[in-house]
Amino acid sequence: MALGALLVLKAERLRPITWLGLARPTPGCGWLGDALALLAAALWGATTVLIKATPLRRVDPEKVLLYQIGAAAIVAPFAMLVLGEPAPSRLSPATIGLILWQGVVVVGLSYATWFWLLTRYPAPQLAAFTFITPLVGVFAGWLVFGEAVSPGFAVAILFVVSGVALVNWPRSRAACRGARRDPG
């Protein structure tokens, strides 16, 4: 997303110190996992840049969400066939509940909120907060399931918080005054 903003969103380019805040290692993953994570990040970033750089930035967040859900509903069955995945034959009440949770809360509320935030804040600074997601997942695992949290988690928290702080580091007063005078 930051690279896309560099090329397309001229008003939302990152400063050198903020690039440092976006750099982070991915320990413990194999090359395939790293490649898939990089692909997912690139596609998420492309979606963000596409929304910010086109008239979609002025469309209601709910409508943008429906566009994405509609496209996924068309593509997913073909992907299932190409990958040889079987169609679900029986769904338990727990599975139906989890699908509803994913559809309503994870996709519906969180993505609509994300698209709404994109209409109000610079994409690179907003995207930095997505690094908090894995921390919330680990914390929720500890809170809900009693999973062990390693000492490395404290280090991860420091790195993520430092990265978010660097990305959102305040501009100097002179740079802010110059940005106000030159909107383009």
Side-chain angles (χ1 to χ4, degrees):
M1 193 280 314
L3 291 173
L6 179 69
L7 299 172
V8 180
L9 304 174
K10 306 292 187 212
E12 297 186 16
R13 288 187 173 156
L14 295 177
R15 295 170 292 138
I17 193 167
T18 58
W19 282 98
L20 180 63
L22 290 176
R24 66 184 180 107
T26 310
C29 295
W31 70 269
L32 181 59
D34 287 346
L36 290 173
L38 186 60
L39 176 63
L43 292 173
W44 177 258
T47 300
T48 300
V49 170
L50 176 75
I51 291 168
K52 291 288 284 188
T54 66
L56 284 173
R57 71 183 173 276
R58 291 185 294 276
V59 174
D60 289 334
E62 299 85 7
K63 190 179 274 188
V64 175
L65 176 63
L66 288 174
Y67 291 156
Q68 283 202 328
I69 292 171
I74 293 167
V75 171
F78 292 108
M80 183 186 78
L81 289 172
V82 169
L83 297 172
E85 292 291 325
S89 57
R90 293 183 313 196
L91 298 175
S92 70
T95 302
I96 292 170
L98 292 171
I99 290 171
L100 288 173
W101 169 262
Q102 286 287 318
V104 173
V105 177
V106 175
V107 173
L109 294 177
S110 69
Y111 283 2
T113 301
W114 174 257
F115 298 142
W116 176 80
L117 289 168
L118 282 175
T119 64
R120 285 155 177 76
Y121 299 99
Q125 292 173 337
L126 187 59
F129 285 95
T130 62
F131 291 146
I132 295 171
T133 303
L135 300 180
V136 172
V138 172
F139 179 73
W142 169 79
L143 184 66
V144 175
F145 300 112
E147 294 180 357
V149 177
S150 70
F153 184 64
V155 175
I157 291 172
L158 290 175
F159 279 127
V160 171
V161 170
S162 298
V164 170
L166 286 172
V167 169
N168 291 287
W169 196 265
R171 294 178 180 261
S172 69
R173 290 181 187 243
C176 289
R177 283 191 298 271
R180 276 189 243 133
R181 275 188 246 126
D182 181 24

